[in-house]
Amino acid sequence: MANKKNNKINSAATNGSKYDAVIDTNERAVAIHEHLVTCLVENHPGVLARISGMFSSRGYNIESLAVGTTHDPSISRITIACRGDDRIIEQILKQLSKLIDVIRVVDVSQSSHVERELMLVKVAATGAARSEIMQICDIFRARIVDVHHDCLVIEVSGTTSKNEALMELFERFGILEMTRTGRIALNRGPEILSVAEE
Amino acid sequence: MAITGAEIIVDALVREGVQVVFGYPGGCVLDIFDRINHVPGLRFVLVRHEQGAGHMADGYARATGRPGVALVTSGPGATNLVTALATAYMDSVPIVALTGQVPTAAIGSDAFQEADIVGITRPCTKHNFLVKDVADLARTIKEAFYIATSGRPGPVVIDLPKDVQKAKLENYVYPEQVRIRSYHPVIHPDAGQIRRAAEAIARASRPLLYVGGGAVECQSQLVALSERCDIPCTTTLLGMGIFPGDHANSVHMLGMHGTQYANYAMHHTDLIIAVGTRFDDRVTGKLEEFAPRREHIIHIDVDPASISKCIPVSIPIVGDCRQVLDRLLPLVEPKKHHEWIEQVRRWKADYPLRYPDDDKLRPQHVIRELYRATGGEAIVATEVGQHQMWAAHFWQYVRPRTFLSSGGLGTMGYGFPAALGAQVAFPDRLVLDIAGDGSIQMNIQELATAVTEKLPVKICIINNRYLGMVRQWQQLFYKENYSGTFLGTPDGRAAGASLYIPDFVKLAEAYGAAGIRVARKADVAPAIKEAIANGRTTILEVMVEEKENVWPMIPAGAGVEQMISGLA
């Protein structure tokens, strides 16, 4: 990861392209890391299929995926968590940029950002366990959104690692069912990803 | 005045400068067919299989540089086109394919002749569209031509539901301009990177140009660069003719079946100048052993995704190849590399492409004779296999757009329809399809198109009764187990023979074409002369040695040091 900070050396490689993060190919790291790639795309039918198709046809894996329209209804924002070494991530960014309906692509995990995933967990909760679960929820700022004699449904949002820590704590009570969204992210500070051309 | 979708489509084609449409009718394109034969100056070529239409559009596009247009119906018509689209996509050929579709209300209902062609062609087209509203039709067609021909070219599909073709639109205006906010193919090359490239060229002592199909408009720039700095030039299969093969600095094709001298040059170079090419596995072989002495790679390409995809590149330049070279040339000082250029010429002299010159009728000899008879003045299309490699080895291509071959996808059955597409574009030029007895059978039905349209393409079938390239691999790597590659004995034409190979002469005659068969070396040259002179679609079937191999060869996944030169 260390050499990632100097990654503008080859900026010409993407001059006029849809994304900025460029990796100097002489210093590429082979270590595999998780990245969060965000795209602004045309809100057209089939765009998601183009993106997921690119991942599957080139053998890249999607760890999580979040899709939704933005405040501009003609634009959707897609956030993809994926793993790979620098070469793979560079190809993913370039191949995404190449899709005609993709307007902008950025690897948000390369700069300071806020990321969240939402999780709903149904936990077995009887007797004394109930209060213990409620205490844990307090600490994690999780909310109980449904109560039943035998179980609780708990809503929590946060980073994947926070949510997983919570899951681990719930495990001994018995997790009956759970579901989570894809991760979403925004850069911190005034920097925005917009469709405006450079 | 109101105008129908079908009328808009035909008008749009004319406004885009389309002169010929290759296609096949069907239920879901009847409205377009009802209009298309009323347009003066727009030629419609009826094919006999939709794959043929796709390859003809492809051959037309490669030979002219203008987009090829195919028109087919929904369902099987469209799926038959898929191989041609994938072929064009791999080789970056601009095609606009119009496919019929069931009416919008029926989409998704498994209607008769319905196929999700937008879904099917998504991974094998540059882009595709489903037009659901006649109001979007004109803009979509404009965008399709723009996308197909700009940046890195490629095929674009427009799926046209039947009701959209029938729908009427008031106030139709064909758009003058196109602007797609998510697509910016015009990339201004970075001046700093071009400067770095010039510095690297000045420092290099063994530079090598490596040129692919993306440099098709760059011949004079490449020759200028090569001559100014003593830089030898190798090309990929699709780069043949872009750098003149008869130039002293040409080292011809590199890679798996490249020349020894091209591969040696790549092995010893300290600076690769890659132009419009993508370091395909058939070029590089084993990546770890590719060009081990290189200090730098300058990679000029219009597609950023091609850069550093297979091989890390130290000086990437994204942009139109000709524009980049035009800006690079003034920064490059003349430089001599006597030792290097001498070394390369010595390799070229010591390891020429060759074959035994004996009494046997060898396939290489046929190509040589074709070249002699034409003086190289022809457009050559090929199918895929051994004959394709011999057509690359024993013909010297000196101009771009004179060698049409499926490089990336390796599509058997490509050459004949591609040759027809080129012949439609250039009725007065000699167009050849160099074919194998296997490949030619994959789109043989287009003989009917050729004869009907009076396209005097010459098909030279190099008949060795084998799927020769696969047989060669079986010989070398599968202990001569010729499983599934033997097509018939020379007497296989006898009634009751277990493996029956068609009589290609009779087949040609059945279609109304001319057929000539040659089985002796001495008869080759006169037969070629006759075929060229007859003014008709002609099959020239040459019964060659059965088990000739393509040499040299670097086995798949190996490096230059494992090259098999073949001949003692």
Side-chain angles (χ1 to χ4, degrees):
Chain A
M1 287 297 274
N3 58 25
K4 281 297 194 56
K5 297 299 167 206
N6 303 321
N7 63 14
K8 291 285 176 95
I9 296 167
N10 279 346
S11 63
T14 54
N15 190 7
S17 181
K18 297 173 196 167
Y19 78 96
D20 306 319
V22 181
I23 296 149
D24 186 305
T25 48
N26 286 331
E27 301 176 25
R28 294 198 293 189
V30 287
I32 290 172
H33 294 283
E34 188 160 289
H35 293 250
L36 263 186
V37 175
T38 286
C39 324
L40 296 181
V41 304
E42 294 291 349
N43 188 9
H44 289 166
V47 177
L48 185 59
R50 286 183 204 283
I51 289 175
S52 61
M54 188 283 286
F55 272 83
S56 63
S57 69
R58 293 189 182 269
Y60 307 136
N61 202 19
I62 295 177
E63 308 265 321
S64 96
L65 176 68
V67 188
T69 51
T70 63
H71 55 296
D72 176 346
S74 73
I75 292 170
S76 290
R77 186 168 175 128
I78 297 181
T79 305
I80 302 157
C82 47
R83 296 173 65 79
D85 61 19
D86 284 357
R87 188 184 65 84
I88 289 171
I89 298 301
E90 183 183 339
Q91 265 300 305
I92 288 173
L93 295 172
K94 285 175 168 177
Q95 295 294 346
L96 285 170
S97 300
K98 203 167 151 177
L99 297 172
I100 307 287
D101 283 333
V102 172
I103 305 166
R104 294 275 288 147
V105 182
V106 69
D107 181 357
V108 285
S109 49
Q110 291 307 295
S111 48
S112 176
H113 67 282
V114 185
E115 66 174 80
R116 292 290 181 269
E117 69 171 9
L118 175 67
M119 192 164 77
L120 293 172
V121 194
K122 191 176 284 180
V123 186
T126 48
R130 291 180 88 91
S131 60
E132 204 179 329
I133 291 170
M134 285 159 75
Q135 274 179 6
I136 292 169
C137 286
D138 254 4
I139 295 164
F140 277 80
R141 280 188 269 173
R143 296 201 305 148
I144 295 163
V145 289
D146 183 65
V147 182
H148 186 265
H149 301 299
D150 302 322
C151 62
L152 302 168
V153 176
I154 291 148
E155 170 201 310
V156 63
S157 74
T159 61
T160 304
S161 59
K162 169 190 159 179
N163 291 355
E164 270 168 9
L166 184 63
M167 293 268 288
E168 202 186 311
L169 290 172
F170 283 160
E171 232 157 59
R172 73 188 166 93
F173 304 109
I175 296 170
L176 303 174
E177 201 178 5
M178 67 87 62
T179 180
R180 74 216 298 184
T181 62
R183 290 149 69 184
I184 55 173
L186 286 178
N187 277 120
R188 290 183 187 275
E191 195 179 319
I192 57 166
L193 186 62
S194 74
V195 298
E197 286 164 44
E198 290 153 85
Chain B
M1 197 189 76
I3 167 171
T4 67
E7 286 166 332
I8 291 174
I9 292 162
V10 173
D11 181 70
L13 294 179
V14 172
R15 287 174 190 273
E16 288 296 331
V18 175
Q19 292 165 6
V20 55
V21 173
F22 302 93
Y24 202 93
C28 285
V29 281
L30 276 171
D31 290 271
I32 303 174
F33 274 82
D34 194 44
R35 306 310 314 164
I36 206 160
N37 62 347
H38 292 309
V39 185
L42 186 63
R43 179 173 179 186
F44 175 73
V45 174
L46 175 66
V47 302
R48 295 301 185 273
H49 184 291
E50 288 88 350
Q51 187 187 351
H55 292 321
M56 284 181 212
D58 179 311
Y60 178 92
R62 291 193 209 215
T64 61
R66 299 195 299 271
V69 177
L71 168 63
V72 301
T73 193
S74 64
T79 55
N80 275 346
L81 197 63
V82 170
T83 300
L85 294 169
T87 303
Y89 186 55
M90 283 289 258
D91 290 350
S92 307
V93 179
I95 288 177
V96 174
L98 309 173
T99 56
Q101 183 54 280
V102 300
T104 44
I107 289 178
S109 70
D110 299 324
F112 177 65
Q113 292 197 330
E114 179 185 359
D116 172 17
I117 203 64
V118 167
I120 289 168
T121 61
R122 214 174 267 134
C124 63
T125 54
K126 184 171 173 185
H127 196 57
N128 59 22
F129 297 94
L130 169 63
V131 183
K132 286 180 145 174
D133 184 341
V134 68
D136 297 333
L137 196 47
R139 180 182 49 80
T140 304
I141 298 173
K142 183 87 190 168
E143 289 182 1
F145 275 90
Y146 176 60
I147 290 169
T149 54
S150 57
R152 180 175 178 177
V156 177
V157 166
I158 313 175
D159 203 21
L160 300 160
K162 183 157 181 162
D163 56 319
V164 173
Q165 299 168 37
K166 283 186 180 297
K168 290 199 167 169
L169 182 72
E170 298 282 347
N171 307 320
Y172 157 71
V173 183
Y174 195 67
E176 292 281 313
Q177 286 186 335
V178 55
R179 196 189 156 279
I180 306 168
R181 67 176 168 182
S182 55
Y183 179 61
H184 307 285
V186 182
I187 295 167
H188 300 293
D190 184 88
Q193 292 296 96
I194 293 177
R195 219 165 28 246
R196 283 185 67 207
E199 287 160 14
I201 293 170
R203 276 197 311 273
S205 47
R206 299 181 309 279
L208 178 68
L209 272 161
Y210 153 46
V211 168
V216 68
E217 300 293 340
C218 304
Q219 184 172 74
S220 63
Q221 288 83 353
L222 292 166
V223 170
L225 181 60
S226 169
E227 289 176 353
R228 191 173 303 171
C229 298
D230 264 0
I231 308 176
C233 182
T234 181
T235 73
T236 64
L237 183 74
L238 295 190
M240 309 264 300
I242 294 173
F243 192 87
D246 58 355
H247 193 287
N249 288 356
S250 172
V251 289
H252 306 125
M253 186 171 78
L254 82 167
M256 177 177 279
H257 289 298
T259 63
Q260 277 172 276
Y261 44 95
N263 286 323
Y264 291 154
M266 186 55 92
H267 198 67
H268 288 87
T269 181
D270 65 347
L271 173 69
I272 299 170
I273 308 165
V275 188
T277 186
R278 60 187 176 86
F279 295 87
D280 170 80
D281 59 277
R282 285 297 189 262
V283 161
T284 61
K286 192 175 183 182
L287 288 172
E288 295 75 22
E289 292 176 21
F290 177 69
R293 294 168 177 83
R294 66 182 195 263
E295 304 267 327
H296 281 290
I297 298 177
I298 300 168
H299 190 174
I300 304 169
D301 202 284
V302 74
D303 177 10
S306 281
I307 290 177
S308 296
K309 184 175 70 177
C310 307
I311 297 258
V313 166
S314 50
I315 308 176
I317 307 177
V318 177
D320 173 74
C321 292
R322 187 161 69 174
Q323 199 184 4
V324 172
L325 291 172
D326 277 336
R327 293 182 189 191
L328 175 63
L329 276 166
L331 306 181
V332 176
E333 295 289 331
K335 197 175 172 192
K336 291 289 156 206
H337 296 290
H338 291 295
E339 229 174 283
W340 171 236
I341 210 91
E342 271 316 303
Q343 170 69 74
V344 169
R345 284 177 191 168
R346 218 164 29 246
W347 283 327
K348 206 169 158 179
D350 291 349
Y351 306 102
L353 291 166
R354 63 209 169 98
Y355 56 92
D357 189 18
D358 50 19
D359 293 342
K360 292 178 176 164
L361 206 181
R362 297 188 186 266
Q364 301 95 325
H365 173 76
V366 183
I367 314 286
R368 263 277 169 253
E369 287 300 322
L370 282 167
Y371 181 72
R372 272 194 205 121
T374 59
E377 285 298 317
I379 296 172
V380 177
T382 77
E383 310 289 337
V384 169
Q386 288 184 315
H387 67 273
Q388 178 189 31
M389 293 298 108
W390 289 317
H393 286 169
F394 296 101
W395 189 293
Q396 217 147 60
Y397 301 90
V398 297
R399 278 196 302 276
R401 305 197 182 282
T402 56
F403 180 71
L404 318 176
S405 196
S406 169
L409 198 67
T411 308
M412 291 170 69
Y414 167 82
F416 178 38
L420 296 178
Q423 186 80 78
V424 166
F426 299 105
D428 299 327
R429 286 171 70 177
L430 177 63
V431 181
L432 305 178
D433 174 36
I434 295 175
D437 49 311
S439 286
I440 192 60
Q441 296 188 58
M442 288 208 178
N443 272 314
I444 193 77
Q445 76 287 344
E446 300 308 330
L447 274 172
T449 311
V451 173
T452 306
E453 298 285 333
K454 298 193 170 46
L455 301 170
V457 165
K458 313 300 172 188
I459 306 153
C460 180
I461 302 177
I462 308 284
N463 189 344
N464 59 4
R465 281 80 69 196
Y466 273 101
L467 301 176
M469 186 59 91
V470 186
R471 188 208 56 74
Q472 177 170 342
W473 283 52
Q474 290 174 331
Q475 181 188 346
L476 297 174
F477 312 119
Y478 292 86
K479 300 191 175 108
E480 303 186 42
N481 177 17
Y482 298 138
S483 171
T485 47
F486 184 50
L487 298 182
T489 51
D491 60 352
R493 283 164 181 158
S498 57
L499 279 161
Y500 192 82
I501 49 172
D503 182 330
F504 287 108
V505 170
K506 279 190 188 162
L507 187 69
E509 286 163 358
Y511 275 104
I516 306 169
R517 181 177 302 116
V518 175
R520 290 188 316 160
K521 190 175 180 182
D523 298 337
V524 173
I528 290 171
K529 214 169 169 188
E530 183 191 338
I532 291 173
N534 70 7
R536 299 170 62 196
T537 309
T538 305
I539 285 186
L540 173 60
E541 184 189 19
V542 188
M543 311 303 286
V544 299
E545 279 298 292
E546 277 191 346
K547 292 183 184 163
E548 194 70 36
N549 285 333
V550 178
W551 305 120
M553 179 179 192
I554 301 171
V560 169
E561 276 151 22
Q562 283 86 53
M563 177 156 47
I564 311 168
S565 64
L567 297 172

